[in-house]
Amino acid sequence: MKNIYAIGVGLIGGSLAIDIKKNNPDVIIHGISRKDTTLNTALELGLIDKKATLDDLGNADLVIVSIPVDATVKLLPTILDKISDTGLVVDAGSTKEDICKAVENHPKRRNFLAMHPIAGTEHSGPTAAIEGLFKGKTNIVCEVEKTTFKLQEKALKLFTDIGMRIRYMNPVDHDKHIAYMSHLSHISSFMLGKTVIDKERNERDIFDMAGSGFASTVRLAKSSPEMWTPIFKQNKTNVIETLEEYIINLTHFKELMKQDDFDAIYEEMASTNHIKDILNGIS
Amino acid sequence: MKNIYAIGVGLIGGSLAIDIKKNNPDVIIHGISRKDTTLNTALELGLIDKKATLDDLGNADLVIVSIPVDATVKLLPTILDKISDTGLVVDAGSTKEDICKAVENHPKRRNFLAMHPIAGTEHSGPTAAIEGLFKGKTNIVCEVEKTTFKLQEKALKLFTDIGMRIRYMNPVDHDKHIAYMSHLSHISSFMLGKTVIDKERNERDIFDMAGSGFASTVRLAKSSPEMWTPIFKQNKTNVIETLEEYIINLTHFKELMKQDDFDAIYEEMASTNHIKDILNGIS
């Protein structure tokens, strides 16, 4: 493996570039981005070795696509058009159904592996890229059987080498479950932030009252709207379902409070407490 | 200051005992708890020097009450009955109106200072107590004018010495704002945990998909129902108001998604993004 192309050099693309370069010092990381300023920053930070364009992809051994999921859907067929017969293309999108569909009939489908490395922070852009982001994290691989065996192997070695554990899932199940495990958290956090900001707009020193609990719960409200709007759009049906269930649960909690049924309020919390055990090991 | 009594030796009481003892090595920390096993643990961990009961309070220079807020309301008059004229009683409850009301006409009201140190973790009990929990955190003091000046001074020195900044607020405003800044976060977190657990009950390995974002957003769902049920009960009116606004915002977000108005979805997130600046400095 010699030439790696990172299409998107932000939090995910940049962090992958750091870890892969560390394990494979001889590779050349080529960066591709819509914005030249982003590429310059990535170059200054040492995330990439060279700037490139889509027209250079012919010599790519590996292409990593880490851009908003709507851009991935649009660009992926063109990327596959341009790579050689031995080139591997992976994506890191938080949705999988639309992305897999976009290339299902592409003549180079077997050169593509659909992935979702579940790692990140609330920050974005090349300056957010950090070493070791993927260590101990899960990488969901979809439709593995549709990728050439040799390229599967190559990708899995690369990602286990940077510390990831691999899980296999079909795109429909991925999108359904990730709506609960990730997308809903982002909306609950954004709307919590909105509720508090709207209320306390004119009393900014009230935020002195914010503790680490509030900070933790609204952390995801710092996330990038550029990344998240297309995720919600592509996973609309599943996300609406999670939101409906969440709103029902919140409304039920509110009604119990109105009825002064604090025994039931206690039970609501006690029965959720074992999230402790479930989350053991996730930081 | 010689004899300090910690009524409640859990996360807050225990952590306060650690920091105060560190700054004042000569004090004797007496622990009081409903449960003898809790006291034994606190003793083994070195959080307290001695076990005690309410009948020992006569020689107390300082009493720190860190127990569920319903127990504080019930016990506070008795505690004040038992202390000497120079004894200071402080509480650490997350509600202030009912607690202040419980002793408003007590003959020893001037020996009491109502506080809310905004610090904590999702863990509870003596084993959760840690050094330095209060460093850089806010301590809200209510009705400061109702406390003897000398005892005010004593308390403020003690709490600034362990690294806290002091803010003054009346109990009604405290309870109104803390509903937004803390209580709502706990409910949003508990109900998020419930929504996900209910859905994924039979598919436990789905939790392999949980990333650090989910963990952060549901962290507070590990909190103690014993502590939180009485908080919601005492702050019922304010908490219901925050829940209503939160549900309205979530429902609006859901409706925008149903209408495919993703420009508005983008705006909802972008306009909340500046929570970044607001939260700067809170970890």
Side-chain angles (χ1 to χ4, degrees), chain A residues 118 120 138 140 165 167 169 174 177-178 180-181 184-185 187-188 190-197 199-200 203-204 206-223 225-226 228-229 232-233 236 239-247 249-251 253-254 257-258 260 262 265-266 268-270 272-276 278-279 282-283, chain B residues 118 120 138 140 165 167 169 174 177-178 180-181 184-185 187-188 190-197 199-200 203-204 206-223 225-226 228-229 232-233 236 239-247 249-251 253-254 257-258 260 262 265-266 268-270 272-276 278-279 282-283:
Chain A
I118 301 185
T138 300
I140 313 267
R165 57 180 180 195
R167 292 285 181 274
M169 199 174 266
H174 170 276
H177 292 300
I178 206 70
Y180 284 92
M181 303 306 295
L184 177 59
S185 291
I187 300 174
S188 87
F190 269 111
M191 290 304 100
L192 180 65
K194 181 188 163 84
T195 304
V196 175
I197 289 173
K199 188 64 184 187
E200 308 289 8
E203 306 188 58
R204 294 293 290 265
I206 288 302
F207 285 94
D208 278 358
M209 295 177 87
S212 57
F214 179 68
S216 170
T217 321
V218 298
R219 181 167 74 83
L220 298 179
K222 304 177 192 172
S223 302
E226 285 79 7
W228 281 94
T229 305
F232 296 142
K233 193 169 176 180
K236 176 181 159 177
V239 170
I240 287 175
E241 182 192 299
T242 68
L243 266 173
E244 276 167 354
E245 291 172 20
Y246 186 46
I247 292 168
N249 284 329
L250 286 163
T251 306
F253 194 97
K254 191 190 70 178
M257 283 191 64
K258 280 193 173 170
D260 286 312
F262 287 96
I265 290 285
Y266 181 98
E268 287 282 295
M269 291 190 278
T272 305
N273 253 191
H274 70 284
I275 196 102
K276 278 179 211 177
I278 294 171
L279 290 180
I282 305 165
S283 64
Chain B
I118 300 185
T138 301
I140 313 268
R165 56 180 182 196
R167 292 284 180 276
M169 200 174 264
H174 169 277
H177 293 301
I178 205 71
Y180 284 92
M181 303 306 294
L184 176 59
S185 291
I187 299 173
S188 87
F190 268 112
M191 289 304 99
L192 180 66
K194 181 188 162 85
T195 304
V196 174
I197 289 173
K199 187 65 184 187
E200 307 290 8
E203 306 188 59
R204 293 295 289 264
I206 289 303
F207 286 93
D208 278 358
M209 295 178 87
S212 57
F214 179 68
S216 171
T217 321
V218 298
R219 181 168 73 82
L220 298 178
K222 304 177 193 172
S223 302
E226 285 80 7
W228 281 94
T229 305
F232 295 141
K233 193 170 176 179
K236 176 181 160 178
V239 170
I240 286 176
E241 183 192 298
T242 68
L243 266 174
E244 275 167 355
E245 291 173 20
Y246 185 47
I247 292 168
N249 284 329
L250 286 163
T251 305
F253 194 97
K254 191 190 71 179
M257 283 191 64
K258 281 192 174 171
D260 285 313
F262 287 96
I265 290 285
Y266 181 98
E268 287 282 296
M269 291 190 277
T272 305
N273 254 191
H274 69 287
I275 196 103
K276 277 179 211 178
I278 293 171
L279 290 180
I282 305 165
S283 64

Side-chain angles (χ1 to χ4, degrees), chain A residues 142-157:
Chain A
C142 290
E143 299 187 335
V144 67
E145 70 287 353
K146 296 196 177 175
T147 309
T148 310
F149 185 68
K150 244 188 174 160
L151 294 179
Q152 279 177 38
E153 257 193 331
K154 192 170 161 179
L156 299 187
K157 176 162 174 22

